[in-house]
Amino acid sequence: MFLLPFILYSFSIAITPYTSAYNLALESSHIESTSIQFDTKSIISDTLCEGEITDFVYRFKNTGNTSIHILNVRSSCGCYVPEWPKDEILPGRTAEIIGRYSTRYRPGPFARSLTVNYNDGLVQRVMLFVRGYTLPKELCQNKIEGV
C-alpha cells in the first residue's frame, strides 16, 4: 500500500520531460502550419485489361503557410511506379503524384499503395491507395471483339 504513491510519483517524473517536449512542439506548430490536402487518398479503379499501363493521379494542395518538399514516394510493388514533383510546393499551390500501374502478367484483383514522405519542417508521411480488377487478356480480346 505504501508503494503505490511512490510508483505514481516516479511515473509522473518519467513522463514530465516528454509532455513538456510535446507541449513545446504543439506551441511551435501553431507558428508555421503546413498541410497537404488530397482530393482523394484512395482510388477504386475501373476494370483494366491485362497488359495495359494505367496512370492513377492523386492531386493535392498545400493548404498551409510554408513550402512542402516531397522527399520520396515508395511503392508497395515494382509494378506500381510513382512520379512526384521534385520542386517545393508553395503555399496555396496544387500538384500531383502519379502512380503508373502495369497490369502485364497480373490478372485478377489488385491493391497497391504509395507511401509519401514529405518535409514541412518535420518529416511527415501519408499513404495513398488504389485497388481494382484486371481481366485476363483473353477475356479482354473477347470483350473488344464482341463490341
Side-chain angles (χ1 to χ4, degrees):
M1 176 145 46
F2 293 108
L3 289 176
L4 184 59
F6 176 73
I7 292 171
L8 292 175
Y9 176 73
S10 299
F11 184 71
S12 67
I13 290 173
I15 290 181
T16 303
Y18 298 110
T19 56
S20 297
Y22 177 74
N23 289 337
L24 181 61
L26 280 178
E27 290 170 10
S28 65
S29 69
H30 292 292
I31 297 169
E32 292 185 355
S33 172
T34 304
S35 180
I36 290 183
Q37 176 96 36
F38 281 88
D39 290 348
T40 185
K41 292 181 186 176
S42 183
I43 296 173
I44 299 174
S45 171
D46 291 334
T47 301
L48 305 176
C49 288
E50 183 181 359
E52 292 179 343
I53 296 177
T54 304
D55 288 347
F56 297 102
V57 179
Y58 304 90
R59 288 185 181 81
F60 65 92
K61 182 176 184 175
N62 179 352
T63 58
N65 58 14
T66 61
S67 296
I68 292 175
H69 181 251
I70 297 179
L71 303 172
N72 61 44
V73 181
R74 306 257 183 211
S75 174
S76 62
C77 175
C79 61
Y80 196 41
V81 180
E83 292 180 18
W84 65 91
K86 306 302 188 254
D87 297 329
E88 289 189 350
I89 297 97
L90 299 173
R93 299 290 178 135
T94 59
E96 55 190 35
I97 295 171
I98 299 171
R100 181 165 286 138
Y101 180 62
S102 172
T103 62
R104 188 172 184 194
Y105 306 121
R106 291 181 183 83
F110 67 90
R112 303 291 183 262
S113 66
L114 298 174
T115 303
V116 180
N117 294 300
Y118 65 95
N119 187 346
D120 62 356
L122 298 172
V123 176
Q124 306 281 343
R125 177 176 294 156
V126 65
M127 291 193 68
L128 308 173
F129 303 93
V130 64
R131 65 185 169 107
Y133 189 82
T134 303
L135 284 174
K137 60 183 165 185
E138 300 82 27
L139 293 178
C140 286
Q141 290 171 349
N142 292 340
K143 183 179 172 183
I144 294 170
E145 290 172 3
V147 174

